[in-house]
Amino acid sequence: MTLSSPGSYEGGDIQRRADGERAVWACTDGSKRPQREMKEMNLRQEIENYRPVNDQERADKEQMLSFMAQNPDCLTRSNRTAHFTASIWTVNREYTRTLMVYHNIYDSWSWIGGHADGEEDLRSVALRELQEETGVGRAVLVTPDIFSLEVLTVNGHVKRGIYVPSHLHMNVTYLARADEGEALAVNREENQAVKWWSFEEALRVPKEPWMVEHIYRKLIQKVRDSEVRRLKDRVATTA
């Protein structure tokens, strides 16, 4: 089985586990493969290969690649103008609900993610943030491909007593699946609550209208589109 190009969806054929010191890709037939297949493609190549789905992604992809070319420190917070982050849109096994946290800085229900801090493997960053922020350690990536791209504005704020000036997040998003029954844990340093919401609720409870309209709505539609394709593929293979 070959890896799909970034921007397409395998519907769970290839998964990456959040637990374990050295994650590997696990196929649904139980076989495993080393990480080298994805390591051969660096972050810039993955972004270049990603197929945008709308004007927002097309514009943000172009800005990301331009920023990377001009800023060798783009993966670290030492670049105070902008830097890379990774987010993870986590759904349940039925692809009907998503896991969110009540973010301390944004004062809103929010998706999950964090800074690259020098790490080019943003999949690992996304899965690590999921476990640190929610306690969910057995989630799997539905696909190793990039699920979404977005350049996000961050207003100036105080963190741990230090003022952080306004800047941009060059954000790469991945899609994960997790068991709703797995115990949740609140990371008080980052958030106030962790909860599963239906997709309809996920568009209602956040206090950030721009994120709802431009990001969360897009991610939900992508999940629904990919689930339809997955079900069609399943029907085709069993016919």
Side-chain angles (χ1 to χ4, degrees), residues 107-154:
D107 189 28
S108 173
W109 285 101
S110 169
W111 60 356
I112 297 146
H115 291 86
D117 285 335
E119 174 63 64
E120 188 177 17
D121 181 5
L122 295 186
R123 296 174 195 79
S124 294
V125 174
L127 286 167
R128 183 172 65 246
E129 291 293 330
L130 176 62
Q131 185 164 16
E132 290 178 355
E133 293 188 23
T134 71
V136 173
R138 297 198 61 80
V140 295
L141 292 182
V142 175
T143 167
D145 301 333
I146 293 172
F147 188 60
S148 177
L149 292 177
E150 43 276 319
V151 176
L152 306 172
T153 59
V154 181

Side-chain angles (χ1 to χ4, degrees), residues 62-109:
E62 182 179 347
Q63 186 173 4
M64 283 184 178
L65 292 173
S66 175
F67 182 76
M68 293 180 84
Q70 300 173 36
N71 294 271
D73 61 346
C74 63
L75 291 173
T76 69
R77 278 184 265 192
S78 62
N79 190 313
R80 302 182 76 182
T81 301
H83 40 258
F84 270 86
T85 55
S87 292
I88 192 160
W89 189 250
T90 308
V91 297
N92 62 351
R93 294 183 182 276
E94 293 74 33
Y95 291 76
T96 57
R97 294 164 67 82
T98 188
L99 186 62
M100 303 182 86
V101 296
Y102 196 95
H103 201 282
N104 290 340
I105 292 175
Y106 302 140
D107 189 28
S108 173
W109 285 101

Side-chain angles (χ1 to χ4, degrees), residues 10 22 24 29 39 43 49 53 74 83 89 94 98 117 125 131 136 150 155 159 163 183 199 204 208 210 218:
E10 290 279 332
R22 182 173 177 81
V24 296
D29 61 3
K39 284 291 190 180
L43 179 60
N49 290 346
V53 299
C74 63
H83 40 258
W89 189 250
E94 293 74 33
T98 188
D117 285 335
V125 174
Q131 185 164 16
V136 173
E150 43 276 319
N155 291 333
K159 187 169 185 177
Y163 182 77
F199 287 162
R204 217 171 43 238
E208 301 175 287
W210 190 91
K218 175 188 70 172

